[in-house]
């Protein structure tokens, strides 16, 4: 069966807060792959009532491929790239592909200090909040990754490996965090961040996030108490 005939449903959390949901959603949308968004909502503790219907891990995101669950963002990325090889969601060149997989794995497993201190909150503006030496170390490493990738792919397009792919989807929520917390970036990294913010899929996700009204206490360490 051609991949285009496969029914894809992506189960996601709140667009304002769910960084892991944003990644595969942006990947599918930017690649022009049709899917149904099953948008669930966090409760005040950051749990997701109803997720047990879709995912054995009880977390979002989950991709349903003809009804069969693929969970965890890295597995979803691999499944999508395999279903749609013509989209070249991983770089075509083997060395670039190895690098792309490495930086995606590093994001997936790491940067916990940054992720903990600067939770994704697209509609908020908290300049300077959450910064610490440990967070700066994570930011420096991420900026270094972006600069390194851009240095290798300059002239081929504004994304990490020239054209849009999995690595850009993986780092998109970091870009929104840099915006929310007004993180200063070196020029090449800032130019990359601006290019990500200009992607149609990212703009669509962020517009939807701003339209949400739910307030999730667990993801709002810097909001005035209410
Ligand atoms: N390793 C998972 C992490 C997914 C994750 O942490 N999802 C959060 C939302 S962004 C979640 O489902 N939280 C609800 C819970 O853990 O109960 C992935 O890469 O998909």
């Amino acid at each position: 069966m051609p991949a285009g005939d496969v029914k894809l449903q992506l189960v996601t959390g709140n667009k304002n807060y769910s960084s892991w949901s944003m990644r595969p959603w942006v990947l599918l949308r930017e690649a022009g792959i049709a899917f149904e968004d099953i948008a669930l909502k966090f409760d005040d503790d950051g749990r997701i009532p109803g997720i047990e219907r879709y995912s054995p891990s009880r977390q979002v995101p989950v991709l349903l491929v003809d009804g069969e669950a693929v969970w965890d963002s890295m597995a979803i990325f691999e499944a999508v790239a395999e279903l749609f090889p013509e989209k070249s969601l991983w770089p075509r060149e083997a060395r670039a592909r190895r690098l792309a997989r490495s930086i995606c794995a590093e994001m997936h497993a790491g940067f916990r200090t940054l992720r903990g201190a600067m939770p994704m909150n697209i509609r908020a503006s908290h300049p300077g909040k959450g910064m610490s030496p440990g967070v700066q170390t994570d930011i420096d490493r991420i900026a270094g990754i972006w600069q390194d990738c851009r240095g290798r792919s300059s002239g081929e397009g504004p994304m990490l490996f020239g054209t849009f792919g999995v690595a850009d989807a993986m780092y998109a929520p970091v870009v929104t965090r840099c915006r929310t917390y007004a993180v200063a970036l070196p020029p090449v990294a800032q130019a990359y961040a601006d290019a990500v913010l200009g992607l149609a899929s990212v703009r669509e996700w962020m517009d939807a996030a701003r339209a949400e009204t739910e307030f999730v206490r667990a993801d709002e360490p810097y909001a005035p108490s209410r």
Side-chain angles (χ1 to χ4, degrees):
M1 187 195 287
D5 294 342
V6 166
K7 181 181 177 192
L8 297 181
Q9 297 163 294
L10 185 67
V11 186
T12 56
N14 302 48
K15 290 184 171 57
N16 188 53
Y17 299 114
S18 184
S19 59
W20 291 111
S21 300
M22 181 182 186
R23 294 173 165 105
W25 192 101
V26 161
L27 184 76
L28 290 165
R29 186 66 105 222
E30 196 63 34
I33 297 167
F35 67 102
E36 178 193 351
D37 184 1
I38 301 177
L40 304 182
K41 298 292 183 189
F42 293 127
D43 65 17
D44 227 23
D45 297 325
R47 299 223 166 69
I48 309 160
I51 187 61
E52 61 283 352
R53 281 185 57 202
Y54 301 105
S55 174
S57 72
R58 298 186 174 229
Q59 290 192 317
V60 288
V62 190
L63 181 70
L64 305 178
V65 181
D66 285 336
E68 188 182 354
V70 180
W71 62 97
D72 200 288
S73 45
M74 286 299 286
I76 295 171
F77 286 156
E78 293 294 355
V80 171
E82 193 177 286
L83 279 167
F84 299 92
E86 73 283 5
K87 302 281 184 188
S88 297
L89 296 172
W90 291 113
R92 285 180 204 273
E93 198 262 315
R95 285 173 59 185
R97 199 161 57 244
R98 287 194 288 269
L99 176 59
R101 285 203 159 100
S102 296
I103 66 167
C104 285
E106 188 174 350
M107 176 76 246
H108 188 244
F111 306 124
R112 289 180 188 279
T113 310
L114 166 68
R115 281 158 47 192
M118 296 183 176
M120 190 170 93
N121 190 338
I122 286 173
R123 64 174 179 241
S125 175
H126 295 308
K129 290 277 178 9
M131 186 48 87
S132 69
V135 171
Q136 189 62 55
T137 299
D138 281 354
I139 294 286
D140 291 346
R141 171 65 190 144
I142 290 169
I145 289 171
W146 292 353
Q147 289 179 109
D148 180 34
C149 293
R150 292 297 304 128
R152 291 163 190 251
S153 64
S154 60
E156 294 164 34
M159 297 289 105
L160 288 177
F161 294 89
T163 54
F164 173 83
V166 169
D168 304 297
M170 189 52 128
Y171 280 88
V174 176
V175 169
T176 76
R177 285 174 159 104
C178 290
R179 190 172 173 281
T180 297
Y181 299 94
V183 173
L185 293 169
V188 172
Q190 186 60 59
Y192 170 68
D194 291 342
V196 170
L197 290 172
L199 291 172
S201 59
V202 171
R203 291 209 313 269
E204 187 182 343
W205 176 278
M206 292 178 74
D207 285 346
R210 290 188 193 100
E212 288 179 344
T213 54
E214 297 85 11
F215 178 89
V216 177
R217 169 53 57 198
D219 287 312
E220 292 276 2
Y222 307 116
S225 45
R226 6 190 294 172

